[in-house]
Each structure stands twice: as structure tokens, then as C-alpha cells.
């Protein structure tokens, strides 16, 4: 019963909360509003993670509940996704340090997402903490907990669970726009592949944290280079 209630929280309540948080941020993009939102997001992620760990325990989620064999072409596609997201993590961050055109392009993209991008030193520091909390929490919740949940509670195969959790992971970012859904869905498949292949959550957690920290770093570089 507890597992089902936790999944209602993850799959229904948290997306509703996210929707209203984004709407509030879009109506007032001040740093004070962002910092208050970050604090509330800290709380929701920590509460959800605590419930997940109470229900399952970290040791049972840290390693994959089960594995599966994929055709070589699918493995190649998944490794390509890992490579793509690694490239997008490193190369644009380096390029904006030296290429003004790249900085201008990224700054324009960030302008459209100004409601969620930190600007002050305090909000950047708080967003960095948020990146760590979200990176740890989402990998344990999605890659670990939901992956096991759909197999244990619904009798899904490991492969079907692998597909479902990452489609859900992408769809739950709908409030960030259509491109964010695709980006997070492909990131989810890449992280799940690392989880299965490495046999632990360590690599996905580190990658996810760095991926979110990139937002702070790029925002800081753009401001410094103005």
C-alpha cells in the first residue's frame, strides 16, 4: 500500500505542484521568488526521497532490480544518447567561454527560461544545492524506485519498466516546454543505460548533478562575460 501511495505522490501530486510553482515563477521572476521556490522544491524532493528510502532502502535501489539483453543496434543507440548528453554537458560550456556568438545564442535561449534561471550569487548558490538534491533524488526515485516498482507491483518486465520510467520522466517535465520533454526523456534513457551497464546508481547520480550544475555555471559565465 505504501508503495502505491508514494507513486501517487511521484506521478500525480508532484507534477501538479511543479505546474503551480512554474506558473508562480513566470508571474514574478525576481530572485526572491526563485529562492523561495527553490526552498519549497528542496522540501518536496527530500520528503519524497525519505519516503522512498523508508519503503525500499538505499541498498535495494542502488543496484538494478534486474537486467535484460538488448539487440546490438539498440545498445548502440543508447550509448549514442550517453555520448550526446556527455557532449552537450561539456562542449557548449567550454565554447561559451571563448565564443561570443555562442554566448549570445545561449543567453537568448536562457532569456526564454528566465523564470527558472538563477541570477544573483545567492540564487546561484541555492540552485547549485538544488542541482545536487534533484540529481540524487531523481536518480534514486526514477532509475531505482520506479524501475523496481513496476516490476514488483505490476509484473512488468525489466525492459518494459525501463521504457515506461523514462517516458514518464520526460513527460513530467512538460511544464518546461516540448523541447525539455524530449531532452529529459533522452537523458533518462541515457542514465538508465548507465545504471544497468555500471550496476549502480553512482554514475547516473554524478552525471545528473553535473548536468543540472551546468545551468548555474553557464548563467555565471554569461553574466561575467557581459
Amino acid at each position: 500500500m505504501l508503495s502505491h501511495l508514494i507513486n501517487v505522490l511521484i506521478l500525480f501530486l508532484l507534477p501538479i505542484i511543479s505546474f503551480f510553482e512554474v506558473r508562480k515563477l513566470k508571474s514574478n521572476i525576481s530572485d526572491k521568488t526563485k529562492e523561495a521556490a527553490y526552498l519549497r522544491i528542496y522540501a518536496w524532493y527530500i520528503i519524497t526521497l525519505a519516503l522512498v528510502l523508508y519503503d525500499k532502502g538505499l541498498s535495494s535501489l542502488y543496484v538494478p532490480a534486474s537486467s535484460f539483453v538488448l539487440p546490438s543496434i539498440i545498445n548502440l543507440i543508447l550509448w549514442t544518447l550517453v555520448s550526446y548528453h556527455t557532449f552537450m554537458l561539456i562542449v557548449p560550456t567550454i565554447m561559451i567561454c571563448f565564443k561570443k556568438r555562442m554566448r549570445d545564442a545561449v543567453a537568448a535561449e536562457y532569456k526564454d527560461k528566465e523564470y527558472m534561471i538563477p541570477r544573483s550569487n545567492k540564487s546561484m548558490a541555492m540552485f547549485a544545492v538544488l542541482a545536487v538534491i534533484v540529481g540524487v533524488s531523481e536518480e534514486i526515485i526514477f532509475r531505482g524506485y520506479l524501475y523496481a516498482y513496476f516490476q514488483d507491483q505490476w509484473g512488468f518486465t525489466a525492459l518494459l519498466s525501463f521504457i515506461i520510467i523514462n517516458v514518464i520522466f520526460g513527460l513530467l517535465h512538460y511544464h518546461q516546454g516540448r523541447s525539455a520533454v524530449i531532452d529529459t526523456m533522452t537523458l533518462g534513457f541515457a542514465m538508465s543505460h548507465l545504471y544497468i551497464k555500471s550496476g549502480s546508481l553512482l554514475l547516473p547520480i554524478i552525471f545528473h548533478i553535473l548536468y543540472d550544475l551546468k545551468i548555474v555555471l553557464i548563467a555565471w559565465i554569461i553574466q561575467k562575460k557581459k
Side-chain angles (χ1 to χ4, degrees):
M1 177 60 75
L2 179 59
S3 295
H4 296 315
L5 291 175
I6 292 172
N7 278 275
V8 169
L9 171 63
I10 295 169
L11 301 177
F12 297 100
L13 183 56
L14 289 182
I16 292 171
I17 292 169
S18 295
F19 173 80
F20 285 106
E21 287 289 358
V22 168
R23 193 164 76 168
K24 186 181 296 184
L25 284 168
K26 285 181 176 179
S27 67
N28 183 351
I29 61 171
S30 69
D31 286 318
K32 187 175 181 180
T33 303
K34 292 176 186 176
E35 290 159 12
Y38 297 159
L39 287 173
R40 290 190 295 271
I41 296 169
Y42 290 173
W44 279 111
Y45 269 101
I46 290 170
I47 289 168
T48 305
L49 182 60
L51 288 171
V52 163
L53 295 179
Y54 175 79
D55 185 36
K56 278 290 186 180
L58 181 59
S59 59
S60 67
L61 301 176
Y62 189 71
V63 297
S66 57
S67 187
F68 48 86
V69 177
L70 291 171
S72 298
I73 185 64
I74 304 299
N75 268 312
L76 178 60
I77 291 170
L78 290 170
W79 280 121
T80 300
L81 288 179
V82 173
S83 301
Y84 166 76
H85 283 288
T86 303
F87 177 88
M88 293 304 293
L89 172 65
I90 297 170
V91 176
T93 308
I94 294 173
M95 286 183 66
I96 66 168
C97 293
F98 305 102
K99 300 287 186 179
K100 185 177 183 302
R101 184 179 297 179
M102 184 70 176
R103 283 198 302 276
D104 291 342
V106 174
E109 181 182 342
Y110 272 31
K111 187 72 176 175
D112 294 335
K113 300 177 181 178
E114 192 174 7
Y115 67 91
M116 61 179 287
I117 304 296
R119 293 181 299 184
S120 69
N121 289 337
K122 182 181 178 181
S123 62
M124 285 186 183
M126 291 182 70
F127 193 96
V129 174
L130 180 64
V132 174
I133 292 173
V134 170
V136 172
S137 299
E138 287 192 344
E139 291 310 311
I140 292 174
I141 291 168
F142 284 90
R143 254 53 72 187
Y145 188 72
L146 287 182
Y147 180 64
Y149 170 79
F150 284 117
Q151 294 175 70
D152 296 342
Q153 300 295 329
W154 293 90
F156 292 169
T157 64
L159 177 57
L160 184 57
S161 296
F162 177 89
I163 295 169
I164 288 173
I165 62 167
N166 292 306
V167 170
I168 291 173
F169 184 65
L171 292 175
L172 290 183
H173 289 80
Y174 72 95
H175 55 274
Q176 295 177 19
R178 190 178 302 172
S179 62
V181 171
I182 296 171
D183 188 57
T184 52
M185 193 179 296
T186 57
L187 177 65
F189 277 107
M191 295 303 94
S192 287
H193 192 57
L194 284 179
Y195 178 44
I196 299 296
K197 291 300 183 180
S198 68
S200 84
L201 280 171
L202 182 60
L203 280 179
I205 286 174
I206 292 172
F207 195 102
H208 197 147
I209 290 171
L210 292 175
Y211 207 81
D212 288 347
L213 283 175
K214 177 186 71 171
I215 295 171
V216 181
L217 180 58
I218 289 177
W220 179 78
I221 292 170
I222 289 172
Q223 284 195 18
K224 186 178 178 182
K225 294 285 186 178
K226 278 184 178 179

